[in-house]
Structure formats: structure tokens, C-alpha cells
Amino acid sequence: VAALLLAISGYRPEPWAGALSILRGACDVRVWPDAGDPADIRYALAWKPPHGLLAGFPKLEAIFSLGAGVDALMRDPTLPAVPVVRYVDPDLTGRMREYVALHVLAHHRRMLDYAAQQHSRLWRELPQPAAREVRVGVMGLGVLGQDACVALAMLGFQVAGWSRTPKKVAGVACFAGAEQLAPFLARTDILVCLLPLTPETEGILNMRLFRLLARDGALPAPVVINAGRGGLQNEADILAALKGGVIGAASLDVFAEEPLPDTSPLWGHPRVILTPHNAAWSSPEACARAVVRQIKAHQNGAPLAHVVDRSLSY
Amino acid sequence: VAALLLAISGYRPEPWAGALSILRGACDVRVWPDAGDPADIRYALAWKPPHGLLAGFPKLEAIFSLGAGVDALMRDPTLPAVPVVRYVDPDLTGRMREYVALHVLAHHRRMLDYAAQQHSRLWRELPQPAAREVRVGVMGLGVLGQDACVALAMLGFQVAGWSRTPKKVAGVACFAGAEQLAPFLARTDILVCLLPLTPETEGILNMRLFRLLARDGALPAPVVINAGRGGLQNEADILAALKGGVIGAASLDVFAEEPLPDTSPLWGHPRVILTPHNAAWSSPEACARAVVRQIKAHQNGAPLAHVVDRSLSY
């Protein structure tokens, strides 16, 4: 009997197990740690499974990631040499669009300043550029990054994107590669990071990069928004950059350690908007639909979509 | 000599006077209270001028409003019987789009809850519907309201609009008139008010209306956002509705009295996001360009655009 193994750590698996009932007919659903006969497992839907777990299934044909990022999977040195599939779905894309639009607008419209003024019962208008006078830069031009660029352009911002390899996005100035990172940053007032976490991108959001952001913008200081992975950011550098005025504010959805430790000074920082890694939640229903679509195609001999390039780790 | 009178109260007129220098050639610019010979004044660009002021210019041909709303002008019982022109410009429309998108997203993504959690160093994900599961209703389908509807639909929300007379907006369910107000509210989780303030709309945001909002939404409780005019809202009812759970939160940019008095409990309310009537600031440059466009057309015998219907007060 062919089966899919749901291997989730850190969350209750029940909502996903329930949503995967739509697989019935195509294959069985087993919920880790109750995998049953290891030889039954053809597919895995996984979120941060323990290293070594997936190597124990000799007939595994594909691993589906429950989230957009596959960095946790790729760090397993025993990961079987089968296709690893990223989670790509309009539901996820829409949720990330909401997060990016909200946080870019929040900083553009100086929401932290107005919240402080409200607290002090201070009625005062602050200088306010229009969106078309503000330059947003999106790092990472995959499905999520391209969609975010289009939404930001529709809201009126001047939008540019940066990616490892050259991309084309209508209405968006596209920069690519290490040599175009500095010019991209030099025209960026609000930086949005949606990069995958790979050996190449680890710690990329650091003081050296922050110092390259635009100093001539219409906002008081550059802003950094990270909804990629915590490993992309140097949290000590973010705090130092805020203190030194190198950046004026940050929205962080992801952290080096999650949950963010109680002791982190990011929690209480007046210029930081924190969220608990919920920028783009994987809806069980949407995720299950995407997996079922792929499994049915795969069983009919069609190629899997959104397969990770192992040489690039994403 | 033909002249335009800049009659602004409550703001320094200098930025607008400077921006109006692009009128040179077409007509003189006088800054109230230095009107010079009253017979020179052909046009006025006005923001809350004292009642009676504009009646003192016998050759006045048109009055331009410096803001989108003309209610303050229309309350002057001595207002001369010349065309009153609303300020309509892509700059203003874009700024209102920013405000509406920001505040709808902020409540949709439960920013007040997450700010409180951040304050308590609490890492906790809250239930989060996707935008397509949330119904936004926009009251007022003029230029600003229609644009806001389109932006909200692009962000993924289910959008409906309500207006005095029937309108058609692509992708937006349009309701009209008193008899369709209840069904419009019954399908609305987040209400955005962009109505003009007229005798008909005064105090429309009251407890009776709040009770008609959807009770079956994906968010914990309905939300009210008012960027129209303070006179549209009953502030005691907003406080009572928040207290009674009839609404869960509000964003208010406008108030019955502005600046909002120190003593207002709205200032310190944890479920209210206040801004100092800056949802859509009139940029002097954009406003001057719009006025110059109209004056040049008028001098060439073309009709003025965006003229107020006196029988409707907007």
C-alpha cells in the first residue's frame, strides 16, 4: 500500500492530517511517529523533521515541504536523494503579499511614530511623502518576491528587485548578482527580504549591507523588513544599526532562534515590529490541495513542479 | 488684474503660495488676509475660510477646495453662487489608497493584538484568515472610494461598496441607497467610510449601523475605519460599541473636534488607531497643478471638472 508520511515538528499535525483526507484513493496518510511499514511510504509532507528520519524510508519518491522555505530540510545530511518540492500556492503567495504590503505601508506612513504620538495624546502631522516618492527594494524574486513587487507597484511605490540570477518583472527594475547588490541598495529606502536561506545568503542582512542603503530618501531613515528566514539576519547588527541611525526601523517575522528568546532586546525595541513567524502561514487546506495536485500528477507520470535544485539549496 | 485668493486657515499658507507660483501669467496670487482690491479676485483656493469671507469678492468665478471634502465650505450660509470645485488628483487618490490599504491590512493581520503580545514578550500565532476570507465594505464610491475598492480587491479581499446612487466598479459588489445599506453591512467585516459629510450622512456611523455589521466573519469582531469626516461618526457610540464588543477595533483619522481634545478617551483606547487627519494630505504641488489645470481650461472657455452639486452638498 502506498502512503504519505506527515512529519511535522513544532506544530500539532492534526489540522494537516485532517486536510489530507482529500488524498483518499490516491494514497494512505500516516502521521509521524506512526509510520507503519517503512516500505509503504512513497511521499513525505515535512516541517523540520528530525535529521535522519526521512532516510529510513527505502521507497520514498518525493519530499514535500510544508513551508515556502526548505532550508531546514536541506540541512539534514542524510536527506534521501529524491526530489524535494517547495510549497508554492496562491494562498501562501496571497498571505505573504498581505504581510509585505502591510509592513511597507506601516513604515512608509510612520505608524510607530503615530502610535507614540497617540500614547502622548499629541496631535501632530509628520512630513509624508507619497508612495511614488519612496523606493522599495525586494530581495528574492521567486514566486513570493515577484508577487510582492507587483502589489507594491500597484500601491504606488517605486519598486526594484534583486535576485541571484537575472529576472524580468513588468514595472520593476531588476538587479542581479553580487555586483549589482550595491546599486540596488543605493536606491532602496525600504528593504524587503524574501530570500531563501542558503550557505550563500546566510547572514546577508548585516551592518555592511545596511550601510549601503539609500541615505537620500524621502523617509527619515532606511527600513528593513525580513520575512525570509532568521538565518538571513545578524540580529546584533540590526540592533546596532538602529542605535546608530543606519536604519530607522525594522519589521521582523523570523529570528535566528524561534520562538525569539525572552531575553532578546528586539522584543522591547521601540523601532521594531515583531511577529511570531506568521507572515505567510501554511493553511492546511491550501497546502493539502497543492500536495494532492502534485501527487496525482506524479502518479500519472507528469514531472513534479517547484523541485529544489540541490546544488543551490533552494 | 485677475487674481486667485489663497484663503487657508489652520495651516501655514506659504507652501501652497509657493506652489501656486506656477500660475504666473494666468493670474496673480494673493494670500488672505492680503486680498488687495476685492474686485481683482476671480478665483479662490480655500480651506475652512471664515464664513462670509468669500462673499466679499464681487467678481469671484469659482471656488476651489484645498481638500477632498467641501463640507466646511458648504456650511457657509453666505457662500457665493459660483461653482465650488472639489480637489481631485491622482496624488490625493494615491495617498488615500495608502491609508485605506494600511488600516484594512493592519486590522486584518491583527496588528494591535501582536503589538500587545510584543509588549508582553509573548510569542503566539493567532488564527489568521486569508484576505479572500474577509469582506471589506467601502462607504462612498467617488474617485477615492472606487480607487480604494480596486486596491483592496488586488490585495485579495472580498470588496463591496455602498453609495447614495447606483455605481458600477469592476470586481466590486455595489450596493446603493438607504434600502441596500443593511444588506451591505450584513456582509461587511471591515467597514471603510469615505463618504462626504452632508446633512444626509451626518452621524451615520452610529450604534444602529454598527449593530448591522456581519457577526459571522472570519475576524474576531467587525472593524470600523473612518477617513471621511469626523461629523460622520458618533464618538460616544464608537466607544460604547468597542466596550460592548459590537465592534472589535477602529482606525480614526477624523474627529468631531480637531485637534482631538486631550480629554477624549479615544486617545488612550487600546483598540483605536488614531491619526491626526492626515489620511490624504493635500500636497501643495499636486494641488496647485490641479488648480492651474482647471483655471487654464476655464479661461479657455472649457467647463470646470468636479463641481459640487449644491442640492447634494458634495
Side-chain angles (χ1 to χ4, degrees), chain B:
Chain B
V1 55
L4 173 142
L5 178 71
L6 180 63
I8 297 185
S9 70
Y11 289 88
R12 291 173 51 249
E14 287 80 358
W16 284 271
L20 285 167
S21 65
I22 57 170
L23 258 177
R24 271 184 223 309
C27 69
D28 250 22
V29 176
R30 311 266 170 87
V31 180
W32 176 70
D34 300 322
D37 181 352
D40 292 344
I41 305 298
R42 298 287 190 284
Y43 306 101
L45 173 57
W47 184 244
K48 297 188 178 172
H51 286 187
L53 174 70
L54 297 175
F57 305 105
K59 297 197 173 163
L60 193 66
E61 295 177 25
I63 300 166
F64 298 96
S65 171
L66 191 123
V70 295
D71 46 291
L73 281 169
M74 303 313 286
R75 275 194 300 267
D76 180 353
T78 68
L79 197 71
V82 301
V84 175
V85 177
R86 286 177 286 115
Y87 171 42
V88 176
D89 187 81
D91 182 85
L92 186 83
T93 306
R95 289 168 188 270
M96 187 59 90
R97 182 192 316 151
E98 297 170 17
Y99 175 89
V100 172
L102 169 58
H103 287 265
V104 168
L105 284 167
H107 293 290
H108 167 58
R109 297 295 296 239
R110 305 183 64 170
M111 214 170 190
L112 289 171
D113 296 309
Y114 281 113
Q117 291 193 179
Q118 179 176 348
H119 188 74
S120 308
R121 301 189 177 224
L122 176 58
W123 179 279
R124 181 173 61 182
E125 275 188 66
L126 303 169
Q128 182 60 62
R132 77 187 138 65
E133 299 169 292
V134 172
R135 299 161 296 180
V136 183
V138 176
M139 297 181 84
L141 292 177
V143 173
L144 301 182
Q146 293 197 23
D147 179 85
C149 284
V150 171
L152 291 166
M154 183 283 312
L155 289 168
F157 292 100
Q158 292 175 46
V159 184
W162 179 83
S163 52
R164 195 181 52 82
T165 56
K167 298 274 174 89
K168 280 191 182 168
V169 186
V172 176
C174 289
F175 296 75
E179 69 289 352
Q180 288 181 13
L181 182 55
F184 163 78
L185 296 168
R187 55 69 66 207
T188 292
D189 302 311
I190 300 179
L191 182 70
V192 177
C193 181
L194 296 175
L195 288 169
L197 176 59
T198 70
E200 208 177 335
T201 61
E202 195 169 349
I204 192 170
L205 299 177
N206 58 37
M207 185 63 89
R208 194 157 38 94
L209 179 143
F210 301 148
R211 287 199 196 283
L212 295 172
L213 289 165
R215 305 305 309 173
D216 60 346
L219 296 175
V223 172
V224 171
I225 298 171
N226 185 13
R229 280 288 181 269
L232 297 164
Q233 74 201 10
N234 181 319
E235 292 172 12
D237 279 8
I238 290 176
L239 288 162
L242 285 166
K243 190 168 184 177
V246 177
I247 63 174
S251 280
L252 304 176
D253 186 56
V254 290
F255 304 91
E257 185 182 345
E258 295 178 4
L260 182 66
D262 261 10
T263 52
S264 170
L266 290 170
W267 278 113
H269 200 293
R271 304 300 302 169
V272 175
I273 305 179
L274 292 192
T275 42
H277 200 149
N278 73 337
W281 179 65
S282 293
S283 146
E285 290 69 29
C287 184
R289 277 196 305 271
V291 167
V292 169
R293 227 171 15 240
Q294 293 249 45
I295 288 181
K296 292 197 170 160
H298 183 68
Q299 289 179 335
N300 290 330
L304 291 162
H306 314 304
V307 173
V308 170
D309 179 337
R310 294 272 181 128
S311 72
L312 298 171
S313 301
Y314 77 94

Side-chain angles (χ1 to χ4, degrees), chain A residues 126-153:
Chain A
L126 302 169
Q128 183 59 61
R132 78 186 138 64
E133 299 169 292
V134 173
R135 300 161 295 179
V136 183
V138 176
M139 297 181 83
L141 292 177
V143 172
L144 301 181
Q146 292 198 23
D147 179 85
C149 284
V150 171
L152 292 166

Side-chain angles (χ1 to χ4, degrees), chain A residues 8-312:
Chain A
I8 297 185
S9 69
Y11 290 89
R12 288 174 52 248
E14 286 79 0
W16 284 271
L20 284 167
S21 64
I22 58 171
L23 257 176
R24 273 186 221 304
C27 69
D28 250 21
V29 176
R30 311 265 170 87
V31 180
W32 176 70
D34 299 321
D37 181 353
D40 292 345
I41 305 299
R42 297 286 191 284
Y43 307 101
L45 173 55
W47 184 243
K48 298 187 179 173
H51 286 188
L53 174 70
L54 297 176
F57 304 104
K59 296 196 173 163
L60 193 66
E61 294 176 25
I63 300 166
F64 298 96
S65 171
L66 192 125
V70 294
D71 46 291
L73 281 170
M74 303 312 285
R75 276 195 300 268
D76 181 353
T78 68
L79 197 72
V82 301
V84 174
V85 177
R86 287 177 286 114
Y87 172 41
V88 176
D89 187 83
D91 182 85
L92 187 83
T93 305
R95 289 169 188 269
M96 186 59 89
R97 180 193 315 150
E98 297 170 18
Y99 175 90
V100 172
L102 169 56
H103 287 266
V104 168
L105 284 167
H107 293 290
H108 166 60
R109 296 295 297 238
R110 305 181 65 167
M111 213 168 192
L112 289 171
D113 296 310
Y114 282 113
Q117 291 193 179
Q118 179 175 347
H119 187 75
S120 308
R121 302 190 175 223
L122 176 59
W123 179 280
R124 181 174 62 183
E125 274 189 66
L126 302 169
Q128 183 59 61
R132 78 186 138 64
E133 299 169 292
V134 173
R135 300 161 295 179
V136 183
V138 176
M139 297 181 83
L141 292 177
V143 172
L144 301 181
Q146 292 198 23
D147 179 85
C149 284
V150 171
L152 292 166
M154 182 282 313
L155 289 167
F157 293 99
Q158 292 176 46
V159 184
W162 179 83
S163 51
R164 194 180 54 81
T165 56
K167 300 272 173 91
K168 281 192 181 169
V169 186
V172 176
C174 289
F175 296 75
E179 69 287 354
Q180 288 181 14
L181 182 56
F184 163 78
L185 296 167
R187 54 69 65 207
T188 292
D189 302 311
I190 301 179
L191 182 69
V192 177
C193 181
L194 296 175
L195 288 170
L197 176 58
T198 70
E200 207 177 336
T201 61
E202 194 168 351
I204 193 170
L205 298 177
N206 57 37
M207 184 64 90
R208 194 156 40 94
L209 179 144
F210 302 149
R211 287 199 197 283
L212 295 172
L213 288 165
R215 305 308 307 175
D216 60 346
L219 296 175
V223 172
V224 172
I225 298 170
N226 186 14
R229 279 289 180 270
L232 296 163
Q233 74 201 8
N234 181 319
E235 291 171 12
D237 279 8
I238 290 175
L239 288 161
L242 286 165
K243 190 166 187 181
V246 177
I247 63 174
S251 280
L252 304 176
D253 185 56
V254 288
F255 304 91
E257 186 182 344
E258 296 178 3
L260 182 65
D262 261 11
T263 50
S264 169
L266 290 169
W267 279 114
H269 200 292
R271 305 300 302 169
V272 175
I273 305 179
L274 291 193
T275 42
H277 199 149
N278 73 337
W281 179 65
S282 293
S283 146
E285 289 70 29
C287 184
R289 276 197 305 272
V291 167
V292 170
R293 229 174 11 244
Q294 292 249 41
I295 287 181
K296 291 196 172 162
H298 182 67
Q299 290 180 335
N300 291 328
L304 291 162
H306 315 302
V307 173
V308 170
D309 179 336
R310 294 271 181 130
S311 72
L312 299 170

